[in-house]
């Protein structure tokens, strides 16, 4: 979906009849969006969520604490039920 949007935007920028002024306006808006800290954070969070979903490592589940400072973690598929 993102590639489609980028392709449409690039086609519009390259094929526009509005000239250089419109191109500069679109370029400035694109730079503003891509350099925004909010956009960067959203991309980072999205990548992390995708990485978590695609991870082959088993999820660790907290077990009963041994004491106040120690917690044992075991893979989710090895939990006793």
């Amino acid at each position: 979906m993102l590639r489609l949007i980028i392709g449409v935007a690039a086609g519009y920028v390259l094929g526009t009849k509005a000239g250089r002024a419109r191109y500069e306006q679109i370029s400035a808006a694109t730079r503003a969006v891509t350099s925004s800290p909010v956009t960067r954070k959203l991309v980072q969070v999205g990548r992390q969520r995708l990485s978590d979903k695609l991870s082959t490592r088993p999820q660790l589940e907290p077990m009963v604490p041994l004491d106040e400072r120690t917690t044992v973690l075991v893979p989710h598929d090895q939990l006793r039920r």
Side-chain angles (χ1 to χ4, degrees):
M1 182 67 169
L2 183 58
R3 288 184 182 176
L4 175 65
I5 293 170
I6 292 171
V8 168
Y12 179 76
V13 168
L14 295 174
T16 186
K17 300 224 186 229
R20 187 73 178 169
R22 182 68 178 146
Y23 171 78
E24 292 298 332
Q25 184 183 17
I26 292 170
S27 295
T30 303
R31 277 194 298 294
V33 168
T34 57
S35 65
S36 166
V38 174
T39 304
R40 289 183 184 172
K41 184 66 176 174
L42 288 173
V43 169
Q44 180 183 11
V45 168
R47 285 180 178 169
Q48 185 61 48
R49 286 185 182 172
L50 182 62
S51 174
D52 292 344
K53 292 282 185 187
L54 298 176
S55 176
T56 58
R57 296 186 317 177
Q59 295 289 330
L60 298 179
E61 296 287 334
M63 299 298 288
V64 178
L66 298 176
D67 58 32
E68 294 175 359
R69 298 181 316 170
T70 307
T71 303
V72 176
L73 300 174
V74 297
H76 183 71
D77 59 345
Q78 294 178 6
L79 286 176
R80 288 180 272 167
R81 302 192 187 233

